[in-house]
Amino acid sequence: MQLANDLREKIASITLYHDGGELSVTASFGVAEYERHMTKVEDLIKLADKALYKAKNCGRNIVCDTSTTGSVTASETAIMS
């Protein structure tokens, strides 16, 4: 979760210039943790995908994680104004 949040912050701090204008870029991340009972990589991908959609629904520039219980939480420090 910390790595995703660090990447999100780094991406948001970059200002791009194109055709005389400034562009800002943000990123949202969905994070899932591998657990021993998972038998397929697809299980992990589904959890990360669920967290990513939660991040997109919560706004922009956010990191969300999910557990195998199905609950999704947003990193409070990840929400930028």
Side-chain angles (χ1 to χ4, degrees):
M1 185 85 162
Q2 186 61 49
L3 176 59
N5 198 44
D6 291 347
L7 288 170
R8 182 198 57 75
E9 288 176 352
K10 190 69 161 171
I11 291 167
S13 73
I14 297 170
T15 301
L16 303 173
Y17 299 94
H18 179 68
D19 286 337
E22 288 186 8
L23 301 171
S24 60
V25 178
T26 61
S28 293
F29 293 89
V31 177
E33 185 176 339
Y34 171 79
E35 297 191 13
R36 291 182 188 263
H37 66 80
M38 292 180 177
T39 58
K40 299 181 281 186
V41 72
E42 289 83 7
D43 296 334
L44 182 61
I45 292 169
K46 284 180 186 178
L47 286 176
D49 194 48
K50 185 176 182 179
L52 178 58
Y53 277 97
K54 178 66 176 181
K56 289 180 178 182
N57 288 328
C58 287
R60 299 282 187 248
N61 200 24
I62 192 168
V63 175
C64 287
D65 72 344
T66 186
S67 66
T68 55
T69 63
S71 61
V72 179
T73 56
S75 168
E76 292 180 18
T77 60
I79 301 172
M80 303 288 287
S81 1

